[in-house]
Amino acid sequence: MVKHAKPKTFYDTFERRGAGEKNTTYCPGCGHGNAHKLIAEVIDELGIQDRVIFCSPVGCSVFAYYYFDTGNVQCSHGRAPAVATGLARARDNAVVISYQGDGDLAGIGMGAIMHAANRGEHMAVFFINNAIYGMTGGQMAPTTLVGQKTTTTPFGRTPGREGYPIHMCELINELQAPVYIERVSLGDAARIMRAKRAVKQALLNQVHKKGFSFVEILSPCPINWKMTPIEARKWLIETMEPLFPVKVFRNIEEPSVKYEPPKLLSDEELVALFSATKEIEIPVSPREVEDQYIKIAGFGGQGVMSAGVFLANCAIKEGFNATWLPSYGPEMRGGTANASVIISNNQIGTPLVSSPNVLIAMNAPSLDTFENTVVPGGLVIVNSSLVPRKLRREDVQTIYAPVTEIAKDVGLIAAASVVALTLYACISGAVQIETIKKVIPLSLKKKALVDINLKAVEAAVEYYQKNIE
Ligand SMILES: Cc1ncc(C[n+]2csc(CCOP(=O)(O)OP(=O)(O)O)c2C)c(N)n1
Ligand code: SF4
């Protein structure tokens, strides 16, 4: 009988690149290795490998996806509980793990964890508390002990300067929703076995859809504590445990709030929810166009966001793939805002547009911000009604058009973005004027608005024929 084998949940080989490719990513004596092993063993024992989705943090365990042969999502710093929330809500059968260090969970991610706990999200959180920022070389963490020396508290943490350590189990225990909260330690073999029971309880809670489970694991970081692995385990037991008591804070057998599986919407319900229209039928073979990376920028309230959605809808109506990504400035109305739209015959990998080949600059700050991002040979449409200056570069095609005035002349300044889009369509040929005219009535509810926007299209076409063509 094999007693000590690598859990099935771990990959057979740990692929690493570059120096140290034959080692794990962890230093000798690090607790992350123990914690990983415990979690992997429990996943094996519960037979849930195919159901687990592991949210890897920022911190030393960022490379958990090199080890766990499960679903894996690498999350930005502190945001694993938010990502885990989405996963748990979208997949009924998933067992979701949020694995986080103390800098990650109790520092930058404090808000995310508290709200996930408060909502009672269905996830098992394993909180690796090593009282220090490991990966970045030993800075003070929220859990650093009073008196503990770190690179940012070289004379020891003092409450007067750096405040007191944060006790996460105690904080989360103030909330109503969590079903299970326990602090364990990796100080010695007996404690590691106790930790394994806690890991199992947290994962079983997910299997039985009991709710939010939080296991804090006191874990050594010998390298940053400047100790040998043996000294580190001793310090963990003798110094850390008295300040972070190892105990069960809460273990609710029968949660009062019952699990509600994710509600999947039918096509009809989705259409109704987004007030979308089913009238847009997607043709099978669109024309070939050069990929369009479009930035529409102006001030909030100028309609650049809606213009972006509208343009993407026109492209989709013609059978192209299209994406739309809004970017708001710090203020909404009156601030700066821009929408990125991509139109392509091919699949689109990312909706980000950092080097547009089309810029529609509706006001002066937008031209200042994006002029230099346009690729050479790109198209820049400038709303000369509001932008007093000319472009500083000569390697792009530039069209100056009094977009706001054209819109004003037809009776609606807010139609300026439709004027700009129509000019873009005329110049580039990427979408057809007929499509714009068909999509306007689908996008606007009021007949009066439809009419005036259709007039804006006519006016823009006329302007194009007289001044640009
Ligand atoms: C947004 C952001 N801010 C800062 C960092 C730098 N950073 C990487 S790891 C880390 C600290 C991680 O410490 P902890 O969560 O305690 O994990 P450990 O490495 O100790 O396991 C920081 C601040 C980053 N990657 N991203
Ligand atoms: S720095 Fe600390 S937490 Fe990171 S791998 Fe090394 S011992 Fe572990």
Side-chain angles (χ1 to χ4, degrees):
M1 187 165 106
V2 180
K3 282 234 164 182
H4 297 286
K6 187 191 289 198
K8 268 201 318 60
T9 293
F10 280 153
Y11 288 114
D12 289 339
T13 50
F14 303 143
E15 300 286 347
R16 290 190 60 194
R17 279 162 289 162
E21 63 183 1
K22 297 230 160 18
N23 306 324
T24 70
T25 40
Y26 303 119
C27 311
C30 174
H32 278 304
N34 294 127
H36 278 25
K37 181 111 186 271
L38 299 182
I39 296 168
E41 283 176 354
V42 171
I43 293 173
D44 277 9
E45 288 166 21
L46 299 179
I48 53 173
Q49 185 178 359
D50 289 344
R51 293 173 56 188
V52 169
I53 307 178
F54 198 103
C55 295
S56 309
V58 167
C60 278
S61 43
V62 62
F63 297 125
Y65 50 70
Y66 283 161
Y67 305 115
F68 285 89
D69 185 4
T70 59
N72 282 288
V73 182
Q74 207 282 305
C75 309
S76 48
H77 213 355
R79 303 312 188 255
V83 176
T85 297
L87 294 167
R89 287 182 174 217
R91 295 192 73 92
D92 191 24
N93 198 34
V95 171
V96 182
I97 294 175
S98 179
Y99 183 100
Q100 303 181 257
D102 41 66
D104 190 73
L105 182 142
I108 194 167
M110 177 61 113
I113 190 66
M114 293 308 286
H115 287 285
N118 192 47
R119 293 190 305 267
E121 299 293 346
H122 289 266
M123 64 179 73
V125 179
F126 298 118
F127 169 43
I128 309 300
N129 180 1
N130 57 19
I132 208 153
Y133 283 18
M135 174 174 253
T136 41
Q139 295 83 359
M140 191 197 90
T143 51
T144 294
L145 275 51
V146 170
Q148 188 182 339
K149 289 184 179 159
T150 68
T151 54
T152 44
T153 54
F155 306 108
R157 179 177 192 162
T158 68
R161 233 187 346 253
E162 291 92 15
Y164 288 98
I166 291 181
H167 292 72
M168 286 310 301
C169 283
E170 287 80 349
L171 272 185
I172 289 177
N173 201 27
E174 289 299 312
L175 304 173
Q176 219 174 322
V179 292
Y180 175 53
I181 305 167
E182 179 166 358
R183 183 181 287 123
V184 294
S185 156
L186 300 176
D188 58 22
R191 287 167 162 83
I192 290 174
M193 293 320 291
R194 173 65 242 161
K196 182 170 172 182
R197 286 198 289 278
V199 167
K200 193 162 194 166
Q201 174 74 64
L203 288 177
L204 266 175
N205 286 351
Q206 304 317 304
V207 172
H208 299 310
K209 297 289 179 199
K210 277 197 181 165
F212 186 87
S213 302
F214 187 86
V215 179
E216 176 171 342
I217 302 176
L218 303 182
S219 173
C221 173
I223 199 97
N224 285 309
W225 292 357
K226 311 222 176 318
M227 296 175 193
T228 64
I230 291 174
E231 286 165 352
R233 302 270 160 171
K234 197 163 176 286
W235 190 82
L236 186 69
I237 295 172
E238 291 176 2
T239 311
M240 225 177 142
E241 283 184 20
L243 291 161
F244 289 96
V246 169
K247 63 175 191 171
V248 178
F249 289 79
R250 184 184 303 182
N251 192 359
I252 297 174
E253 284 285 313
E254 278 297 320
S256 55
V257 178
K258 293 282 168 250
Y259 173 71
E260 283 179 37
K263 176 164 167 47
L264 297 179
L265 299 181
S266 65
D267 286 355
E268 284 69 30
E269 285 170 315
L270 275 173
V271 166
L273 185 65
F274 293 109
S275 313
T277 172
K278 283 166 62 183
E279 289 173 50
I280 297 184
E281 277 167 23
I282 300 173
V284 186
S285 323
R287 297 164 293 120
E288 285 289 322
V289 296
E290 188 192 334
D291 285 355
Q292 303 285 299
Y293 296 96
I294 307 147
K295 188 72 90 180
I296 311 172
F299 54 78
Q302 225 176 0
V304 293
M305 297 308 176
S306 333
V309 178
F310 177 74
L311 180 59
N313 275 334
C314 289
I316 290 168
K317 170 112 177 111
E318 289 196 23
F320 296 111
N321 293 314
T323 58
W324 167 77
L325 188 74
S327 170
Y328 297 93
E331 319 133 39
M332 292 280 281
R333 196 160 294 275
T336 58
N338 70 80
S340 298
V341 176
I342 302 176
I343 300 175
S344 176
N345 289 97
N346 306 307
Q347 285 193 355
I348 299 169
T350 164
L352 292 174
V353 174
S354 43
S355 306
N357 53 14
V358 178
L359 169 64
I360 300 176
M362 297 293 286
N363 66 351
S366 301
L367 186 62
D368 294 345
T369 307
F370 294 112
E371 174 174 349
N372 288 336
T373 64
V374 180
V375 295
L379 167 67
V380 181
I381 299 175
V382 178
N383 178 9
S384 58
S385 309
L386 299 181
V387 183
R389 74 167 176 90
K390 299 283 179 228
L391 252 68
R392 300 195 176 98
R393 36 193 299 203
E394 290 174 354
D395 60 346
V396 290
Q397 183 194 355
T398 313
I399 304 292
Y400 300 96
V403 167
T404 305
E405 270 156 50
I406 298 172
K408 201 170 158 195
D409 287 347
V410 297
L412 184 69
I413 290 185
S417 54
V418 168
V419 172
L421 287 187
T422 307
L423 290 177
Y424 158 70
C426 292
I427 298 161
S428 69
V431 291
Q432 294 172 351
I433 302 300
E434 281 316 304
T435 312
I436 294 182
K437 287 185 185 165
K438 277 186 199 152
V439 175
I440 283 176
L442 299 178
S443 313
L444 298 167
K445 288 199 179 113
K446 287 194 188 143
K447 168 123 183 26
L449 271 184
V450 170
D451 290 347
I452 213 154
N453 275 280
L454 288 174
K455 263 206 222 163
V457 174
E458 297 296 347
V461 171
E462 203 183 310
Y463 180 88
Y464 170 76
Q465 286 165 348
K466 277 200 195 137
N467 302 284
I468 305 173
E469 199 173 27

